[in-house]
């Protein structure tokens, strides 16, 4: 069966998509879930029955609320050192006073990755641990259907008011009696997004018609995204938040004389921020947030201040449920924060812990087949039995020290059981469906191998493939593989203790997947057999076909395969930048060796052969302005290629060519010092942090100005006059934009107080970007429709490339502009002094572009974690959140390195084709071997 390249590629793409889908379904673990909620919640479990048949507990319902009102103030991206560190003492004096001497309890809440807003809100309100799949829906949050604190409060008749991030409104529609949502994704807004929340405070705090008030402030998170945690804007924003907390606390205290129950003020953050201002990963600054409980019901703090205790962020849902007199959410894996209820009687404290333990044990029963053997379940049953003995003594009226000591013992048993139960449930979130992952991986790898075996035919003129479909489907090997795979499927599915997605499919669907895997394997074996059979045939022209692999070829093949294999280990994925840094450094050394060999082996070549070649190239040089010509060497032997390649190195160019790999190595080493990335060393200081600190704004301004000037000189050489003028004005606009938002300063500026959003300056640059790209697109269309001149197509590609470079300069942060400069510099040096002298073929140049593109992705400061995504780039020049432009700009800024190297590959290959055609036209009588 014969298939054209397009049909085969489309089929392989569909199979790849299916394999990736099965893999991802197993990679994202299924969350721990209780039975679906239905109807109003019933009464909680009764107290443990005392032993014997005499006394009976008189407390079986959910305990009454401990607080009349609760105000939850969530400050987005509030790091724990912003409150408990030096910045807290400097910019949040009222909060610091309450923590040190007031009636409060302070904790450090640990958030589990992914540390982005929507999953964190889920964790705070449900007590469950969201998975990484929630990152995908973070931009458009659906309604939350799981059991949660907001739903329980609404069902119980609580009146809830919300102001802030509109993610809450999407998650909890029709739950609030009053709300005002603000857009969370417009990160250039530092003030209005918080003013829209604060403007309701005076009116709401005077009212008595609410039970739960939730305020979500976004300004601090936006400042972090745009300017980082060390920005001078952080201090004033923290002071603003401190004044708001003071206003709320004083208002709550003034109303407590009229009520029987006290009020509670809770201050927390959904996540922190990294040293670059982003979030989403698992660094200490991202996962550790402050958690404050402030109420007159607590004892006034006395004595020296101790280090805040570490709790889990999921513990807040259980604690607030008890404080409001609500059932704990069914899916919660959090534990009660005991100090919050520490002022109650021993019976009440034990009752609260028993409610929490009963909920966790029930959740464990519904998600673990062998739950009775779980250590946490066994500890809970022991504590429950001891609790019954304590109740018996209590109901008998025993008030001796024995009762108190037994109560403390039961309290300790409950806390240990809750901790173990919570840990057991939390571990289940990280359990992957390995069987589904393996099936998806096998499909993807088989299709990949099939594509690799088809590459030689894809490069031929006809590009048609003989698919051995009939022999494979009717071969004995095919049926044997199907039987073996079906047997493995039955064994895995019948012995699996946890739910498996692939096992939940119908047997007919599973059989179809097994037959697909078997057919692909038979096709691969058949293709390999044909390749081996063809290799044994006699060669008609051994001189032309003989080829030898250089060290560069071996390195590129081994490096690419080695990188693919390294992705099988999570540690290599976390530190993937180290792999690419090593590969490009090694590549530079190999290229240096190749250049030296080509230059010094020229002396050993045949003198007459060298003279004839020199005369030929000299005549070409006189007829054309090009210095390097990609003409195949005579006989295609390695010695002739060395001789012909070395002729390109004339005068001073040969020394620049020999020095180019070392210059590139120096550039790469400087770029490594600019941005720390990865996981293990991301916290270490780098040159980028030094530049972005407020004390070095003048140095950053000078570096940004020099970088923009160098970008102009490196790009303008292939642009038209109009594009050169547009590029110059656009780069000037880039600096003006950064000066407008306060990143850099002009020489005549003494301070940066006049900070704006820079919308006018950014749009000024966008005009020139669109103009340059439009000019290049016009040339591309002209080359396809009107003229067949390849030089017009090459010029159009370079124009588009120049426009994208200007866009990258606008979106990059000022300290990252040297990355763009070195990218252009390395591309220029490799084009003129490495690829052309070495006469590299298209495959070699393509792999080198891929390697350097991946390396520059990490030189930008990116990593395989979402915490390094610069969200602020998506809002450059936008007055409000517009989804499509924001997504495009964010994606372009993140992948600018690989994208610019990919487009440069197209530009280079196109220019080489047009250059070779021009040489053939100039010298029609030239004989090419």
């Amino acid at each position: 069966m014969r298939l054209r390249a397009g049909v085969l590629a489309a089929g392989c793409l569909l199979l790849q998509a299916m394999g990736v889908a099965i893999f991802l379904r197993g990679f994202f673990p299924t969350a721990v879930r209780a039975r679906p909620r239905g109807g109003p919640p019933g009464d909680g479990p009764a107290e443990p029955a005392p032993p014997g048949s005499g006394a009976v507990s008189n407390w079986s319902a959910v305990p009454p609320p401990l607080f009349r009102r609760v105000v939850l103030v969530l400050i987005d991206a509030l790091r724990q050192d912003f409150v408990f560190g030096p910045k807290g003492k400097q910019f949040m004096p009222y909060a610091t006073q309450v923590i040190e001497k007031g009636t409060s309890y302070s904790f450090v809440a640990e958030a589990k990755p992914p540390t982005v807003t929507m999953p964190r809100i889920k964790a705070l309100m449900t007590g469950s641990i969201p998975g990484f799949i929630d990152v995908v829906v973070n931009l458009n949050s659906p309604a939350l259907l799981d059991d949660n604190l907001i739903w329980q409060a609404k069902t119980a008749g609580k009146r809830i008011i919300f102001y802030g991030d509109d993610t809450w409104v999407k998650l909890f529609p029709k739950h609030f009696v009053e709300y005002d949502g603000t857009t969370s994704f417009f990160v250039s807004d530092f003030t209005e997004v918080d003013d829209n929340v604060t403007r309701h405070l005076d009116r709401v705090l005077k009212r008595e018609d609410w039970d739960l008030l939730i305020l979500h402030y976004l300004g601090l998170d936006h400042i972090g995204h745009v300017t980082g945690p060390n920005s001078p804007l952080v201090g004033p924003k923290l002071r603003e938040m401190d004044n708001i907390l003071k206003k709320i606390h004083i208002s709550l205290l003034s109303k407590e004389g009229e009520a029987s129950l006290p009020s509670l003020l809770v201050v927390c953050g959904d996540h922190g921020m990294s040293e670059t201002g982003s979030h989403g990963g698992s660094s200490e600054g991202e996962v550790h947030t402050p958690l404050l409980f402030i109420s007159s019901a607590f004892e006034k703090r006395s004595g020296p201040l101790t280090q805040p205790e570490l709790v889990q962020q999921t513990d807040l849902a259980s604690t607030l449920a008890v404080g409001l007199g609500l059932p704990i959410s069914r899916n919660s894996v959090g534990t009660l924060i005991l100090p919050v209820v520490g002022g109650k009687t021993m019976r009440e404290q034990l009752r609260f812990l028993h409610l929490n333990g009963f909920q966790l044990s029930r959740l464990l029963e519904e998600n673990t087949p062998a739950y009775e053997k779980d250590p946490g379940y066994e500890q809970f049953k022991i504590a429950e039995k001891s609790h019954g003995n304590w109740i018996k003594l209590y109901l008998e009226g025993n008030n001796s020290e024995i009762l108190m000591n037994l109560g403390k013992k039961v309290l300790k048993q409950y806390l240990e059981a809750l901790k173990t139960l919570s840990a057991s449930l939390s571990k289940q979130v990280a359990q992957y469906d390995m069987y589904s992952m393996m099936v998806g991986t096998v499909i993807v790898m088989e299709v990949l191998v099939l594509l690799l075996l088809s590459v030689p035919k894809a490069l031929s003129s006809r590009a048609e493939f003989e698919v051995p479909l009939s022999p494979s489907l009717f071969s004995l090997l095919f049926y044997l593989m199907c039987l073996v795979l079906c047997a493995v499927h039955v064994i895995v599915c019948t012995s699996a203790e946890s739910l498996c997605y692939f096992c939940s499919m119908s047997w007919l669907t599973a059989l179809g997947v097994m037959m697909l895997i078997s057919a692909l394997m038979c096709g691969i074996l058949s293709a390999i057999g044909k390749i081996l059979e063809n290799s044994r045939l006699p060669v008609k022209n051994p001189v032309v076909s003989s080829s030898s692999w250089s060290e560069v070829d071996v390195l590129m093949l081994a490096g690419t395969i080695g990188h693919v294999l390294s992705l099988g280990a999570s540690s290599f994925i976390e530190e993937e930048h180290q792999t690419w840094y090593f590969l490009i450094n090694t590549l530079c050394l190999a290229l240096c060796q190749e250049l030296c060999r080509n230059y010094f082996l020229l002396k050993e070549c045949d003198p007459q052969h060298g003279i004839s070649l020199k005369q030929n190239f000299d005549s070409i040089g006189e007829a054309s302005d090009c210095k390097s010509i990609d003409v195949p060497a005579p006989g295609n032997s390695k010695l002739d290629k060395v001789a012909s390649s070395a002729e390109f190195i004339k005068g001073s160019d040969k020394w620049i060519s020999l020095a180019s790999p070392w210059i590139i190595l120096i550039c790469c080493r400087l770029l490594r010092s600019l941005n720390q990335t990865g996981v293990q060393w991301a916290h270490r200081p780098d040159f980028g942090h030094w530049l972005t600190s407020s004390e070095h704004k003048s140095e950053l301004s000078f570096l940004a100005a020099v970088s923009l000037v160098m970008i102009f000189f490196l790009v303008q050489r292939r642009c038209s006059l109009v594009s050169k003028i547009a590029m110059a004005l656009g780069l000037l606009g880039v600096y003006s934009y950064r000066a407008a938002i306060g990143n850099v300063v002009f020489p005549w500026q003494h301070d940066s107080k006049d900070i704006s959003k820079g919308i006018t300056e950014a749009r000024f640059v966008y005009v020139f970007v669109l103009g340059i790209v439009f000019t290049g697109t016009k040339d591309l269309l002209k080359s396809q429709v009107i003229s067949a001149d390849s030089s017009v197509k090459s010029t159009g590609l370079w124009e588009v490339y120049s426009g994208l470079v200007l866009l990258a300069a606008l979106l990059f942060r000022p300290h990252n502009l040297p990355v763009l400069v070195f990218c252009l510099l390395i591309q220029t040096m490799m084009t003129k002094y490495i690829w052309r002298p070495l006469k590299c073929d298209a495959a070699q140049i393509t792999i080198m572009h891929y390697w350097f593109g991946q390396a520059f992705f990490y030189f930008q400061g990116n990593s395989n974690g979402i915490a390094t995504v610069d969200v602020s780039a998506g809002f450059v020049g936008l007055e409000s959140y517009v989804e499509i432009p924001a997504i495009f700009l964010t994606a372009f800024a993140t992948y600018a390195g690989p994208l610019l190297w990919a487009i440069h590959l197209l530009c280079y290959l196109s220019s080489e084709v047009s250059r070779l055609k021009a040489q053939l036209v100039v010298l029609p009588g030239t004989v090419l071997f």
Side-chain angles (χ1 to χ4, degrees), residues 184-190 221-228 276-279 737-738 741 743 757-758 762 766 810-816 866-881 885-894:
S184 59
F185 295 105
F186 185 51
V187 299
S188 298
D189 182 9
F190 302 156
D221 177 69
H222 291 182
I223 291 174
H225 278 299
V226 176
T227 61
T276 59
S278 299
H279 55 85
Y737 165 73
R738 290 298 171 181
I741 65 175
N743 293 142
K757 297 179 182 178
Y766 283 140
L810 175 64
L811 300 181
F812 276 21
R813 298 199 181 192
H815 76 278
N816 260 349
I866 60 176
T868 53
V869 176
D870 185 10
V871 182
S872 63
F875 303 92
V876 175
L878 300 182
E879 287 183 332
S880 60
Y881 175 65
I887 293 175
F888 169 76
L889 293 175
T890 303
F892 179 82
T894 303

Side-chain angles (χ1 to χ4, degrees), residues 629-643:
I629 305 156
D630 193 7
V631 182
N636 199 27
S637 65
K638 190 170 182 179
L639 186 61
D640 290 342
K641 182 178 179 180
V642 169

Side-chain angles (χ1 to χ4, degrees), residues 245-256:
L245 297 179
K246 181 179 180 180
K247 177 189 292 188
I248 297 173
H249 189 207
I250 292 176
S251 176
L252 292 177
L253 290 177
S254 64
K255 298 290 183 68
E256 286 190 355

Side-chain angles (χ1 to χ4, degrees), residues 683-702:
H683 63 281
R684 292 188 177 182
D686 50 40
F687 190 52
H689 287 110
W690 184 85
L691 286 171
T692 53
S693 62
S694 57
E695 297 84 6
H696 304 108
K697 183 171 289 188
S698 58
E699 291 86 347
L700 178 61
S701 302
F702 176 77

Side-chain angles (χ1 to χ4, degrees), residues 284-304:
E284 184 176 354
E286 296 170 84
V287 300
H288 286 170
T289 63
L291 178 59
L292 306 180
F293 295 91
I294 305 173
S295 175
S296 59
F298 306 147
E299 295 183 359
K300 195 169 185 179
R301 185 179 295 275
S302 60

Side-chain angles (χ1 to χ4, degrees), residues 95-170:
T96 302
Q97 180 185 357
V98 172
I99 292 171
E100 294 179 351
K101 301 179 181 179
T103 55
S104 67
Y105 289 106
S106 57
F107 304 92
V108 174
E110 183 180 16
K112 300 295 184 182
T115 49
V116 292
T117 297
M118 192 271 287
R120 294 301 96 218
I121 295 176
K122 281 187 177 181
L124 288 169
M125 293 296 104
T126 65
S128 60
I129 302 178
F132 276 89
I133 191 64
D134 290 298
V135 178
V136 180
V137 295
N138 187 52
L139 295 175
N140 188 20
S141 309
L144 181 60
L145 302 179
D146 295 337
D147 190 13
N148 58 82
L149 181 71
I150 302 297
W151 182 81
Q152 293 282 7
K154 182 178 182 295
T155 306
K158 304 285 184 181
R159 293 157 297 180
I160 313 170
I161 296 178
F162 169 77
Y163 304 115
D165 185 356
D166 60 358
T167 305
W168 290 77
V169 182
K170 298 175 184 177

Side-chain angles (χ1 to χ4, degrees), residues 7-29:
V7 178
L8 180 66
C12 290
L13 184 62
L14 291 176
L15 293 178
Q16 285 274 30
M18 184 183 74
V20 170
I22 296 176
F23 175 85
L24 291 179
R25 184 58 180 81
F27 179 75
F28 291 112

Side-chain angles (χ1 to χ4, degrees), residues 27 565-576 679-680 864:
F27 179 75
L565 295 177
S566 70
L567 298 180
S570 60
S571 57
F572 277 94
I573 296 175
E574 293 173 351
E575 307 296 331
E576 187 182 358
V679 175
Q680 297 184 8
N864 288 327

